[in-house]
Amino acid sequence: MRRMPAEQVKEPIKDQRQQILSGVVETLLKELKQGTGDRDRRRQVEEWMRTLAEKYPEFKIEVGLRDYYLAEAERLRREFDKAPDLTEKLSLGRNIETFLDRAAEYDRRIAER
């Protein structure tokens, strides 16, 4: 029985890994944007996605994160409109600004590539 060179074995594994992981990333980014799960769970997913964005630039994670930050700012804006208390409005306003700043940062990164 003839053995395959190590390079030939690695390529199918690498391709399979890319395919499997890209599906995971795509699903998680979609769910982030939709606001699925509680805030702490979304934050955990966001942190992992930021780590993966540098490791796998081909997945376009930065675009997904930018879109998530915009969607989160829009969700918080709706909460802001419903908030009865000035202190709550201030907190929401600050959070909205943070998400918009993050979206702008990722937009800059995307434009530079």
Side-chain angles (χ1 to χ4, degrees):
M1 187 169 146
R2 193 172 147 222
R3 297 183 116 193
M4 293 175 67
E7 299 83 37
Q8 288 180 348
V9 172
K10 287 182 183 177
E11 285 307 310
I13 291 171
K14 181 182 176 187
D15 292 344
Q16 192 173 26
R17 177 182 175 169
Q18 295 283 97
Q19 185 179 26
I20 291 168
L21 192 54
S22 72
V24 168
V25 167
E26 185 178 315
T27 298
L28 287 173
L29 287 172
K30 184 178 94 180
E31 291 191 14
L32 265 182
K33 187 176 175 184
Q34 293 172 348
T36 304
D38 65 23
R39 198 171 293 164
D40 287 335
R41 298 292 181 244
R42 288 195 307 270
R43 195 168 299 132
Q44 290 174 5
V45 172
E46 171 197 350
E47 287 175 17
W48 188 45
M49 290 298 109
R50 289 193 330 216
T51 302
L52 289 180
E54 293 190 23
K55 191 173 180 181
Y56 298 99
E58 66 272 18
F59 292 166
K60 309 283 188 225
I61 295 170
E62 290 177 338
V63 172
L65 285 171
R66 179 202 58 200
D67 295 348
Y68 158 65
Y69 293 136
L70 289 172
E72 197 68 16
E74 289 172 1
R75 270 191 289 287
L76 291 175
R77 181 63 173 101
R78 288 190 296 274
E79 285 183 36
F80 177 90
D81 290 338
K82 296 175 191 172
D85 180 82
L86 186 59
T87 304
E88 187 177 351
K89 284 183 186 249
L90 176 61
S91 176
L92 287 166
R94 287 179 172 159
N95 286 328
I96 290 167
E97 179 189 21
T98 299
F99 281 111
L100 291 174
D101 287 346
R102 289 179 185 169
E105 175 61 30
Y106 276 98
D107 202 43
R108 278 190 293 277
R109 289 182 190 182
I110 293 164
E112 290 173 359
R113 291 187 180 204

